[in-house]
Amino acid sequence: MPRYEYRCRSCGDTFELSRPMAESGAPASCPAGHEDTVKLLSTVAVGGSSSSPSSSSPSPAAGGGGCCGGGCCG
């Protein structure tokens, strides 16, 4: 079941809920009981390569480490 992230406009708390995709836009109460919440936009990273096996250019190397592939951690 997908997890969705929400933010409470009343207290500023950020929380996650597991719910079916069909209910992703349904109202959600924060853990403190406030009703004024907003669903946050989440991004999904998908790995893979669009180059064909016969391509002569190498695929970019995957960076290691943490939240952004190591580019910001130095």
Side-chain angles (χ1 to χ4, degrees):
M1 190 173 313
R3 295 182 62 82
Y4 298 97
E5 190 173 22
Y6 298 85
R7 184 177 51 85
C8 178
R9 292 180 183 170
S10 298
C11 66
D13 190 23
T14 300
F15 60 98
E16 292 183 351
L17 291 177
S18 293
R19 51 178 31 174
M21 289 176 70
E23 297 177 17
S24 67
S29 295
C30 88
H34 303 120
E35 299 292 328
D36 189 13
T37 61
V38 62
K39 184 176 147 195
L40 300 177
L41 178 63
S42 299
T43 58
V44 177
V46 178
S49 175
S50 61
S51 63
S52 65
S54 63
S55 174
S56 62
S57 62
S59 295
C67 60
C68 59
C72 64
C73 304

